Amino acid sequence: MTTHLTFARGDITEAPVDAVVNAANSSLLGGGGVDGAIHRKGGPEILAACRALRASHHGRGLPTGQAVATTAGRLPARWVIHTVGPVWHPAEDRSALLASCYRESLRVADALGAATVAFPAISTGVYGWPIDDGARVAVHTVRETPTSVTEVRFVLFDDAAYEAFTAFG
C-alpha cells in the first residue's frame, strides 16, 4: 500500500485526520509552539492523559525519537501522537533521532489503526533544526517507512516551511 503525502499551510489543531502528531517536549506536559497549541485547543483531557503516562510508563519523560499516543480531547482528530524531536546541534548529526520521530509516530499510528495522520515540521521551531534539512529528513523518512497509514499530511505553520516541504514532495 502506498502512503499519499499532502502538504498544507495552516493550523495542525484543525486538521481533520485520525491522528495529529505533537512535537512534544520530553515532559509531555505541554510547552510552546505546536505542543502548546495542541494542549490549549485539545483541552484538559490531553494533559490528564499525559500525566497518566508520566505516572506509569514514562516517569522520567518520553525519550527523544520515541512516540506515544493519547486522546485528542477537543481536537477534530481522534488521537494525538506525541513525539520528542532532537535539538539541532551543528557539531553533532542527530538526523537519525529526527527520522525516528517520524518512523515511531507511524508505528504508533499503525497500532491505533489510524488511516490519516498530520505531522508538523518536528524540531524546526525552538529546537533549531534548519527547515530545509528538517523537511528533507521528514519527507524521505515517511516515504521510506512501511505503514498502513494511507495519507500523511504535513501541516506547516508558515510559508517558509510549506515551501521547504513541497520542494521535497
Side-chain angles (χ1 to χ4, degrees):
M1 181 184 305
T2 303
T3 301
H4 182 66
L5 272 60
T6 60
F7 305 88
R9 189 187 173 308
D11 180 350
I12 197 165
T13 66
E14 297 175 1
V17 293
D18 295 328
V20 169
V21 175
N22 180 19
N25 62 52
S26 63
S27 78
L28 296 175
L29 302 179
V34 169
D35 192 18
I38 286 173
H39 275 270
R40 278 190 305 279
K41 198 152 188 184
E45 298 89 348
I46 296 173
L47 182 57
C50 287
R51 283 189 173 137
L53 286 170
R54 288 296 305 268
S56 60
H57 304 328
H58 298 288
R60 293 188 174 160
L62 185 65
T64 301
Q66 297 300 303
V68 65
T70 65
T71 179
R74 300 173 188 163
L75 299 177
R78 187 167 173 195
W79 300 286
V80 173
I81 299 171
H82 306 268
T83 190
V84 180
V87 174
W88 185 76
H89 192 281
E92 184 182 340
D93 181 7
R94 297 177 178 170
S95 56
L97 282 171
L98 182 58
S100 180
C101 291
Y102 292 96
R103 272 194 309 278
E104 287 298 304
S105 294
L106 289 171
R107 181 190 60 75
V108 170
D110 284 343
L112 294 169
T116 56
V117 177
F119 278 99
I122 298 168
S123 287
T124 64
V126 296
Y127 284 12
W129 207 281
I131 189 64
D132 291 336
D133 192 55
R136 178 191 62 79
V137 171
V139 173
H140 175 78
T141 302
V142 168
R143 279 206 174 110
E144 298 299 316
T145 301
T147 181
S148 297
V149 172
T150 57
E151 180 190 352
V152 166
R153 182 178 307 173
F154 290 102
V155 181
L156 297 312
F157 186 71
D158 61 22
D159 290 335
Y162 179 81
E163 289 170 15
F165 273 74
T166 57
F168 290 97

